[in-house]
Amino acid sequence: HHSRRDARSSQDGELVLLADQDRALWDDEMIRVARGHLERAAGLGPPGPYLLQAQIAAEHAVPFEDTDVYVDLDARNARIEDLEEQLSGYHPFHTARSHFLAEVGRKEEAKRALSSALEMMADGPEKRLLENRLTGLSG
């Protein structure tokens, strides 16, 4: 996340979605170093919630054309559902789950997942962004 800090918000302080971020503003060296740390951590034993969170964040640092994160959404939903017990208190889990559910047409479940994420968040740009996304799912 920190490697993308300069691209994550607009000049007026609103969040910029990942797909709309200027990747030239990302710190490639920081991403490279973080990936090395992540690989070492993954080799230490079974993943806990923090490693899973880091692995999810690392997927966002891969160019869309080089990643399979948004491919085979039904399979991804099944995998993300398996993480619910470990990550139920982590609002990005519910946000990601909502995204995948919406992509496969399960709008009511997507709205519930997004509502769960919103309940865990303090007011701010990220919460406003997700509130707008919830409105879009309801409309």
Side-chain angles (χ1 to χ4, degrees), residues 28-62:
D28 293 332
E29 177 62 14
M30 190 179 294
I31 292 169
R32 187 190 65 71
V33 170
R35 286 193 176 282
H37 293 311
L38 186 59
E39 286 177 26
R40 282 190 297 285
L44 295 176
Y50 295 118
L51 180 57
L52 292 171
Q53 292 169 22
Q55 289 171 326
I56 290 167
E59 285 296 321
H60 292 118
V62 176

Side-chain angles (χ1 to χ4, degrees), residues 29-110:
E29 177 62 14
M30 190 179 294
I31 292 169
R32 187 190 65 71
V33 170
R35 286 193 176 282
H37 293 311
L38 186 59
E39 286 177 26
R40 282 190 297 285
L44 295 176
Y50 295 118
L51 180 57
L52 292 171
Q53 292 169 22
Q55 289 171 326
I56 290 167
E59 285 296 321
H60 292 118
V62 176
F64 291 122
E65 58 274 5
D66 295 339
T67 185
D68 64 356
V69 171
Y70 300 106
V71 180
D72 194 9
L73 291 172
D74 280 325
R76 295 254 174 221
N77 270 321
R79 288 177 59 199
I80 204 165
E81 299 286 340
D82 291 341
L83 301 174
E84 186 167 12
E85 185 176 320
Q86 288 180 288
L87 298 176
S88 63
Y90 182 58
H91 76 81
F93 163 78
H94 296 285
T95 303
R97 185 170 177 264
S98 174
H99 172 78
F100 291 131
L101 289 166
E103 288 294 319
V104 296
R106 294 164 56 184
K107 280 179 74 170
E108 292 304 314
E109 291 172 271

